[in-house]
C-alpha cells in the first residue's frame, strides 16, 4: 500500500533555506504527526508532499513512485486546510462532490461516495446547506469529508483543529482517531502545534527544528528517550528542567555533580573517559518527588505555587548559590506550600543527561 | 482673488459651515429644545408655550409674508395656489406634531428627553441634504414629468397636451433608432468592459509589471468622455487616398491593402466604434474593482481546488468567478447605468448622425436644438424609466453585500 519516502528533501525560497536533509520513511497505515516551533517548516513540508509547493532538492516517493513533478491531483493525496478552505458558493454536497465531478465519475458513483462520507461524518442533514450556514466543527467535518470521498492513499492535515474551541477540539480529535481506525491502510500526515494532539494521535511523531528533523519516534520514545535537548524541552509541559553539571562517577549508572551543588544519579550508562565531562541534566517537572535526604537533590523555598487541581506546580530557586530555578509538578492538591522549604529529587531512570545538546543515550 | 485662494476659501466656508451646522443643531437640541435633565410639570408647561410660539409662530409669520407678497396678488384659488396651500397645510401639521413630540405635558424625565433628542438628531443632520436633494433631484423629476405632458404655446406660456408628446416621439424613426442603439450599447459595453476588466485583473495579478499594466489600463478613467472622444476621433481619422493616414485604423487598413474608410459613417458598425471608446474607459473601472475582489478570494480555496484536480480554467471559472459573482454583478450594473446615460461620446463624435443616435443625445437634440421641451422631457422620462429598475436592483445588491 501507500508508503511515503522522503530522501534528502530540501526547500529554499531563493536564497532563504527553509528545510534541508529531510529523510523520512513512512509505511502504509501510519499516522505521522509533524510538530515543531512556529516557522520551522511543518506546513512547507506538508505542502511539498501535497504538490502545492515545489520541491527544490531531493526526491519524494509515494507508493514507490517518484512524484516530485506529478501534479497534486494525481499523487493520490487529499488535504485538509487549517481554514477549512471550503468553496463558499457550493453546498456541502457540491463541496464534497467537486473532485469526483472533475474526475468525470458517474452520477451514481458520486452520489454513493458523498452519502457514505456524509454518514461517517454525520453530515447527512446538512448536505444542501452552504458552508456559511455551518458551525466551525461542521465545516471541519465537511473539509474531512471532501478528502474521504476521493478515497486517497495519503491524507494530509495542516493544523485542522486550530480554529476550533477547546471542547470541540477534543471531540474532533477523537473523531479523527476513529476515522483513522476505520481506515487502517490509509496513511495520514498531520501537522499540529498541540502536544496533546501529537501524543494521542500519532503512531510516530516527527519533531522538526532548525531546518531539519530533530527526532522521529513513537510518542513515548520521544517522551522517555529524547535524542537531544531540543526534543527534551519541546515535548512535555511545563518543559523539562535543565541543570548544568559535570560527570563525577561513571559506569552502568552515572553520578553527576551539579554546578548548583549536590549530586544526582542517572541511569544513563557512561564509561570512564567521560569523567569530568560538562553535561546538562534534564528532569521533567512531573518526575520530581519529595525526599528526606538533603544531599541528593534540590532544596529551596517555594516562590510561587499554582493549583491546577489534578496537579500542583511549584516554582522555586534552590538555596545553593548559582542554582537555576526549578519547576516541579506534584500530583494532587498541596495547599499552603508557598514559602515552605521543599526537598526534591528524581529517580535515576528519570534523569536525562545531555552533552553538547545531544543525549548520552544515543552516542 | 487668485483661483487657488478662492478654492481654499470655498473649502473653508464649506467645512466651517458643516461644523457650524453640526454644533448649532446639537446646541439647539441639547440645550434648548430637549435639555438632558428632568423637568417639572410647571417647567414643561412654560417650555411648551414658548415652543409653540417658536415652532409655529416663526414659520407662520414667514409663510404669511410669503403669501402676502407672492400668492395673493396672483390669486390663490387656481391650481398652483391650491397646491401651495396644501403644502403649507402639511408643513403646519408637521410642525404641530413636532411640537407635541418635543414639548409634552406634565413631568418629564431626563431619559425621555435624551431619547427624544436622539430620535430627532439624525433628521436634523440630514435636513440640508434632504432639502438640497429635493430641490435638485426630486423636484426636477416631477417638473420634467409635468413638462413632458405640456407644450409650449407660441408667445409664451404652456398648454396641457396629455400624452401627445409621447405619441409624437413614438412616431419618430430617430427615437426608435436611439432606443435600438441604446439597447445594443446596453448589452455590448457592460459585457465587454466587465469581461476585459476581469481578464486584465486576473492576468496582471501575478506578474512583475502587472501594476504598470494596470495603471495604464486605468488611466482612461481619468480622461473626460469628450477628451476620450477627441482621441478616438483621431484613431478613426480618414485622409484621402493619396495622403498618409494619421488615424491608426486606416493606417492599418491601408497597409493590409484596403481603401481608406470613413469609419464613423459606416452604418451599424459605427455604433461599435463609438462603444469601443466607452469600453476603453470602463475597463479600467471594472479591472480595479474586480482585481480587489480577486485578491479577497481565500488562497486556500484555490489550493484545495488544485488538490481536487482542477486545471487553471476550472479554477478560474468554477472557483474564482463564482466567489466574486456579487462584485461582478455590481460592476456590470454600475456600467449599465453609465451606458444608459451615455451622451458625450456620441455628441462629440457623430452627434447621432449615420444611425448612431442614442437616447440622451436625442433628448439634447429636442430640448436644446429643436427647443421642443415637451418631447425632450418625454425622452428624459423614458431614460429615467429605463434606469430606475437597474438602479433599485443595484442598491439592493449593494446593501446585501454590506450585510
Ligand atoms: N514564500 C516564502 N518566501 C520566503 N520564505 C517563506 C515563504 N513561505 C514560507 N517561508 C518561510 O518558511 C518557513 C516555514 O514556514 P511554514 O509555514 O512551513 O512554517 P510552519 O512550521 O508551518 O509554522 P506555523 O506553525 O506557524 O504554521 C518560515 O520561516 C517562513 O518564513
Ligand atoms: Mg503552518
Amino acid at each position: 500500500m501507500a508508503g511515503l519516502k522522503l530522501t534528502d528533501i530540501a526547500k529554499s525560497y531563493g536564497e532563504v533555506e527553509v528545510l534541508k536533509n529531510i529523510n523520512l520513511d513512512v509505511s502504509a497505515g501510519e499516522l505521522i504527526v509533524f510538530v515543531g516551533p512556529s516557522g520551522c517548516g511543518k506546513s512547507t513540508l506538508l505542502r511539498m508532499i501535497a504538490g502545492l509547493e515545489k520541491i527544490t532538492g531531493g526526491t519524494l516517493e509515494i507508493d514507490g513512485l517518484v512524484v516530485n513533478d506529478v501534479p497534486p491531483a494525481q499523487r493520490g493525496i487529499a488535504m485538509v486546510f487549517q481554514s477549512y478552505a471550503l468553496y463558499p458558493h457550493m453546498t456541502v454536497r457540491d463541496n464534497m462532490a467537486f473532485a469526483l465531478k472533475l474526475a468525470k465519475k458517474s452520477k451514481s458513483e458520486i452520489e454513493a461516495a458523498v452519502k457514505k462520507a456524509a454518514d461517517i461524518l454525520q453530515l447527512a442533514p446538512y448536505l444542501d446547506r452552504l458552508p456559511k450556514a455551518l458551525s466551525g466543527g461542521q465545516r471541519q467535518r465537511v473539509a474531512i469529508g471532501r478528502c474521504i470521498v476521493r478515497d486517497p492513499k495519503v491524507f494530509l492535515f495542516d493544523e485542522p483543529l486550530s480554529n476550533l474551541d477547546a471542547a470541540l477540539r477534543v471531540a474532533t480529535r477523537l473523531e479523527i482517531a476513529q476515522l483513522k481506525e476505520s481506515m487502517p491502510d490509509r496513511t495520514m500526515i498531520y501537522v499540529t502545534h498541540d502536544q496533546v494532539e501529537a501524543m494521542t494521535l500519532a503512531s510516530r511523531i516527527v519533531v522538526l527544528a532548525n531546518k531539519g528533523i530533530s527526532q522521529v519516534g513513537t510518542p513515548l520514545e520521544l517522551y522517555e528517550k529524547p535524542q537531544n535537548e531540543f526534543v527534551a524541552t519541546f515535548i512535555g509541559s511545563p518543559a523539562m528542567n535543565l541543570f548544568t553539571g559535570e560527570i563525577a562517577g561513571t559506569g552502568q549508572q552515572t553520578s553527576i555533580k551539579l554546578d548548583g551543588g549536590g549530586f544526582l544519579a542517572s541511569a544513563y550508562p557512561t564509561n570512564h573517559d567521560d569523567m569530568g565531562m560538562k553535561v546538562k541534566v534534564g528532569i521533567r517537572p512531573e518526575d520530581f518527588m519529595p525526599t528526606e535526604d538533603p544531599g541528593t537533590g534540590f532544596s529551596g523555598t517555594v516562590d510561587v505555587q499554582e493549583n491546577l487541581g489534578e496537579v500542583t506546580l511549584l516554582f522555586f530557586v534552590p538555596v545553593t548559590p548559582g542554582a537555576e530555578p526549578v519547576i516541579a509538578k506534584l500530583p494532587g492538591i498541596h495547599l499552603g506550600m508557598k514559602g515552605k522549604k521543599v526537598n526534591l529529587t528524581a529517580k535515576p531512570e528519570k534523569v536525562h543527561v545531555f552533552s553538547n545538546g545531544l543525549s548520552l543515550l544515543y552516542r | 482673488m487668485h483661483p487657488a485662494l478662492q478654492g481654499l476659501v470655498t473649502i473653508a466656508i464649506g467645512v466651517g459651515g458643516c461644523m457650524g451646522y453640526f454644533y448649532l443643531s446639537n446646541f439647539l437640541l441639547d440645550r434648548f429644545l430637549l435639555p438632558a435633565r428632568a423637568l417639572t410639570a410647571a417647567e414643561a408647561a412654560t417650555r411648551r408655550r414658548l415652543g409653540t410660539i417658536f415652532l409655529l409662530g416663526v414659520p407662520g409669520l414667514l409663510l404669511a409674508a410669503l403669501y402676502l407678497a407672492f400668492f395673493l396678488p396672483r390669486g390663490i384659488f387656481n391650481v398652483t395656489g391650491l397646491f401651495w396651500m396644501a403644502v403649507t397645510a402639511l408643513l403646519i401639521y408637521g410642525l404641530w406634531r413636532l411640537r407635541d413630540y418635543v414639548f409634552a405635558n406634565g413631568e418629564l424625565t431626563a431619559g425621555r428627553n435624551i431619547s427624544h433628542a436622539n430620535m430627532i438628531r439624525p433628521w436634523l443632520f440630514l435636513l440640508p441634504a434632504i432639502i438640497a436633494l429635493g430641490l435638485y433631484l426630486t423636484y426636477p423629476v416631477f417638473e420634467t414629468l409635468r413638462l413632458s405632458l405640456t407644450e409650449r404655446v407660441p408667445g409664451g406660456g404652456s398648454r396641457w397636451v396629455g400624452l401627445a408628446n409621447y405619441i409624437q416621439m413614438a412616431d419618430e424613426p430617430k427615437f426608435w433608432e436611439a432606443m435600438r442603439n441604446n439597447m445594443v450599447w446596453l448589452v455590448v459595453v457592460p459585457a465587454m468592459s466587465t469581461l476585459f476588466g476581469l481578464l486584465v485583473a486576473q492576468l496582471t495579478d501575478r506578474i512583475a509589471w502587472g501594476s504598470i499594466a494596470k495603471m495604464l489600463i486605468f488611466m482612461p478613467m481619468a480622461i473626460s468622455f469628450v477628451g476620450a472622444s477627441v482621441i478616438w476621433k483621431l484613431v478613426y481619422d480618414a485622409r484621402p487616398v493619396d495622403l498618409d493616414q494619421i488615424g491608426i485604423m486606416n493606417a492599418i487598413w491601408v497597409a493590409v491593402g484596403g481603401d481608406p474608410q470613413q469609419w464613423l459613417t459606416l452604418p451599424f458598425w459605427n455604433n461599435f466604434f463609438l462603444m469601443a471608446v466607452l469600453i476603453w474607459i470602463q475597463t479600467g473601472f471594472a479591472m480595479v474593482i474586480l482585481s480587489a475582489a480577486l485578491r479577497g478570494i481565500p488562497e486556500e480555496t484555490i489550493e484545495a481546488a488544485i488538490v481536487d484536480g482542477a486545471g487553471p480554467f476550472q479554477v478560474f471559472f468554477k472557483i474564482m468567478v463564482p466567489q466574486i459573482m456579487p462584485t461582478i454583478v455590481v460592476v456590470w450594473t454600475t456600467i449599465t447605468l453609465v451606458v444608459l446615460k451615455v451622451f458625450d461620446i456620441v455628441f462629440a463624435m457623430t452627434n447621432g448622425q449615420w444611425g448612431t443616435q442614442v437616447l440622451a443625445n436625442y433628448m439634447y437634440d429636442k430640448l436644446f436644438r429643436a427647443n421642443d421641451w415637451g418631447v425632450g422631457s418625454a425622452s428624459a422620462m423614458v431614460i429615467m424609466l429605463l434606469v430606475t429598475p437597474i438602479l433599485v436592483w443595484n442598491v439592493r445588491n449593494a446593501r446585501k453585500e454590506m450585510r
Side-chain angles (χ1 to χ4, degrees):
Chain A
M1 277 311 294
L4 215 69
K5 192 169 158 71
L6 282 68
T7 316
D8 282 332
I9 293 276
K11 174 73 191 177
S12 41
Y13 293 103
E15 292 290 285
V16 190
E17 198 174 43
V18 179
L19 289 169
K20 61 177 182 192
N21 291 332
I22 305 287
N23 288 293
L24 183 65
D25 250 316
V26 181
S27 40
E30 272 196 286
L31 200 165
I32 296 285
V33 173
F34 291 170
V35 294
S38 190
C40 69
K42 305 181 292 291
S43 301
T44 307
L45 186 54
L46 195 74
R47 292 163 54 82
M48 282 196 286
I49 296 172
L52 291 170
E53 205 78 65
K54 217 179 129 41
I55 298 171
T56 46
T59 53
L60 168 68
E61 288 166 46
I62 298 180
D63 243 357
L65 291 174
V66 176
V67 293
N68 282 38
D69 296 315
V70 175
Q74 280 142 43
R75 291 188 180 191
I77 50 111
M79 183 156 171
V80 175
F81 294 83
Q82 180 173 349
S83 64
Y84 319 137
L86 301 181
Y87 311 126
H89 55 289
M90 296 185 196
T91 60
V92 169
R93 185 193 308 279
D94 290 340
N95 259 285
M96 295 207 276
F98 186 64
L100 301 180
K101 278 182 191 159
L102 289 177
K104 303 236 156 38
K105 291 268 163 52
S106 76
K107 267 222 166 93
S108 54
E109 217 175 325
I110 294 176
E111 210 159 296
V114 169
K115 188 174 176 325
K116 191 169 151 226
D119 285 343
I120 295 175
L121 297 163
Q122 293 142 32
L123 283 171
Y126 311 110
L127 279 180
D128 292 313
R129 287 207 200 164
L130 287 178
K132 67 172 178 233
L134 297 178
S135 73
Q138 289 161 346
R139 282 178 209 187
Q140 187 57 65
R141 293 213 294 272
V142 176
I144 295 173
R146 207 163 55 177
C147 295
I148 294 179
V149 289
R150 294 177 50 201
D151 194 21
K153 291 181 269 188
V154 183
F155 285 82
L156 306 175
F157 295 85
D158 192 356
E159 305 197 27
L161 306 186
S162 58
N163 285 350
L164 304 180
D165 66 42
L168 202 51
R169 208 179 285 183
V170 174
T172 315
R173 192 176 79 209
L174 285 177
E175 277 169 25
I176 291 179
Q178 281 164 0
L179 185 72
K180 178 72 196 69
E181 226 152 78
S182 69
M183 298 185 293
D185 56 342
R186 294 293 181 261
T187 309
M188 291 189 180
I189 299 183
Y190 189 104
V191 169
T192 182
H193 261 118
D194 187 314
Q195 283 196 27
V196 184
E197 263 168 50
M199 301 296 276
T200 51
L201 287 175
S203 60
R204 280 194 300 159
I205 295 180
V206 175
V207 182
L208 290 171
N210 297 328
K211 305 178 183 177
I213 294 181
S214 221
Q215 183 172 1
V216 183
T218 64
L220 289 185
E221 263 168 25
L222 259 57
Y223 181 81
E224 288 175 336
K225 293 173 185 160
Q227 231 167 45
N228 48 48
E229 260 179 60
F230 176 78
V231 175
T233 48
F234 189 77
I235 302 287
S237 162
M240 180 185 278
N241 295 288
L242 285 175
F243 311 96
T244 51
E246 63 179 58
I247 293 180
T250 58
Q252 270 311 307
Q253 281 211 345
T254 306
S255 169
I256 298 127
K257 181 176 177 297
L258 295 173
D259 289 355
F263 286 85
L264 265 180
S266 165
Y268 280 30
T270 44
N271 50 48
H272 47 252
D273 293 350
D274 296 332
M275 207 54 178
M277 184 196 258
K278 285 278 172 206
V279 291
K280 280 203 176 168
V281 179
I283 302 174
R284 295 196 183 279
E286 55 270 33
D287 291 339
F288 279 116
M289 53 186 192
T291 170
E292 298 303 313
D293 180 2
T296 61
F298 306 84
S299 44
T301 325
V302 177
D303 284 334
V304 178
Q305 163 176 17
E306 287 179 352
N307 301 311
L308 302 181
E310 51 173 339
V311 293
T312 304
L313 295 184
L314 302 179
F315 298 79
F316 69 95
V317 181
V319 278
T320 39
E324 290 113 314
V326 178
I327 304 176
K329 190 177 187 179
L330 302 181
I333 301 175
H334 304 264
L335 292 176
M337 299 281 284
K338 193 172 168 183
K340 286 231 181 88
K341 247 186 94 87
V342 287
N343 218 10
L344 299 174
T345 187
K347 285 196 188 125
E349 51 273 24
K350 303 285 188 186
V351 177
H352 309 269
V353 188
F354 305 96
S355 156
N356 290 325
L358 297 176
S359 164
L360 291 188
L361 260 193
Y362 290 85
R363 284 189 294 180
Chain B
M1 216 180 346
H2 193 275
L5 209 59
Q6 280 178 334
L8 281 179
V9 171
T10 312
I11 293 174
I13 292 176
V15 174
C18 286
M19 290 191 331
Y21 184 79
F22 175 79
Y23 180 78
L24 257 177
S25 324
N26 280 335
F27 180 79
L28 189 75
L29 213 54
D30 295 334
R31 292 288 162 76
F32 200 57
L33 294 180
L34 288 159
R37 60 188 168 84
L39 298 171
T40 63
E43 255 180 316
T46 326
R47 297 179 65 85
R48 187 173 159 92
R49 232 168 289 129
L50 284 173
T52 314
I53 295 170
F54 173 74
L55 275 182
L56 292 173
V58 178
L61 280 179
L62 278 175
L63 282 173
L66 263 179
Y67 263 82
L68 285 176
F70 277 103
F71 293 111
L72 272 188
R74 299 173 196 200
I76 46 176
F77 296 106
N78 51 32
V79 176
T80 355
L82 288 174
F83 172 75
W84 285 110
M85 271 219 274
V87 171
T88 315
L90 263 177
L91 189 67
I92 291 176
Y93 176 70
L95 286 171
W96 189 262
R97 293 295 304 267
L98 184 65
R99 182 201 71 146
D100 281 345
Y101 187 74
V102 175
F103 305 105
N105 280 317
E107 220 167 284
L108 303 177
T109 64
R112 179 263 178 203
N113 282 350
I114 292 172
S115 73
H116 278 211
N118 284 344
M119 286 296 290
I120 296 176
R121 202 182 314 273
W123 293 105
L124 200 54
F125 287 167
L126 281 176
L127 194 64
I130 291 175
I131 290 177
L133 284 179
L135 200 62
Y136 293 109
L137 232 59
T138 318
Y139 162 68
V141 169
F142 289 102
E143 181 63 3
T144 309
L145 177 62
R146 191 183 70 81
L147 287 177
S148 76
L149 300 172
T150 63
E151 142 186 292
R152 189 188 294 238
V153 178
S158 64
R159 184 169 59 209
W160 183 263
V161 294
L163 291 178
N165 288 322
Y166 290 89
I167 293 165
Q168 181 191 340
M169 191 166 69
D171 281 341
E172 275 186 38
K174 240 349 194 185
F175 170 74
W176 289 110
E177 176 192 315
M179 277 295 260
R180 181 205 67 186
N181 286 345
N182 254 80
M183 292 304 141
V184 180
W185 279 76
L186 202 63
V187 174
V188 174
V189 175
M192 288 318 223
S193 306
T194 314
L195 183 71
F196 286 139
L198 191 58
L199 274 180
V200 174
Q202 169 69 3
L203 294 180
T204 55
D205 204 30
R206 297 279 157 82
I207 48 176
W209 48 277
S211 51
I212 294 176
K214 275 190 194 161
M215 202 180 73
L216 289 175
I217 289 167
F218 187 70
M219 218 107 85
M221 281 288 286
I223 302 175
S224 74
F225 282 18
V226 174
S229 307
V230 171
I231 295 172
W232 280 82
K233 252 189 134 154
L234 291 174
V235 170
Y236 298 138
D237 192 81
R239 295 282 156 117
V241 198
D242 43 339
L243 291 182
D244 282 343
Q245 295 299 327
I246 64 159
I248 189 154
M249 281 275 282
N250 270 320
I252 295 171
W253 186 248
V254 169
V256 299
D259 281 336
Q261 298 284 326
Q262 289 286 351
W263 300 107
L264 291 176
T265 65
L266 298 178
F268 193 64
W269 296 112
N270 50 7
N271 279 305
F272 293 94
F273 295 136
L274 296 189
M275 287 175 218
V277 183
L278 193 53
I279 295 172
W280 182 67
I281 295 174
Q282 293 294 331
T283 295
F285 163 75
M287 173 200 73
V288 169
I289 310 274
L290 293 174
S291 154
L294 284 176
R295 291 258 165 97
I297 296 178
E299 188 72 18
E300 290 196 335
T301 59
I302 294 164
E303 291 182 339
I306 293 173
V307 173
D308 270 347
F313 286 98
Q314 284 162 326
V315 167
F316 185 65
F317 287 108
K318 293 194 170 157
I319 303 297
M320 297 175 81
V321 169
Q323 287 196 59
I324 59 166
M325 210 29 142
T327 315
I328 293 181
V329 169
V330 169
V331 167
W332 188 294
T333 45
T334 307
I335 297 177
T336 303
L337 293 177
V338 176
V339 170
L340 277 172
K341 297 182 298 184
V342 66
F343 163 73
D344 331 38
I345 294 172
V346 176
F347 181 74
M349 290 183 79
T350 63
N351 196 14
Q353 302 172 80
W354 310 296
T356 58
Q357 188 65 297
V358 290
L359 281 173
N361 195 53
Y362 175 83
M363 173 187 80
Y364 179 86
D365 253 1
K366 289 294 169 193
L367 212 51
F368 296 110
R369 263 202 275 268
N371 273 330
D372 185 345
W373 80 37
V375 175
S377 303
S379 55
M381 290 312 290
V382 170
I383 298 177
M384 202 191 78
L385 282 182
L386 291 176
V387 171
T388 310
I390 302 176
L391 192 67
V392 170
W393 195 58
N394 206 5
V395 169
R396 279 219 189 135
N397 259 325
R399 280 210 189 147
K400 236 194 298 175
E401 275 290 271
M402 274 191 283
R403 261 189 234 128

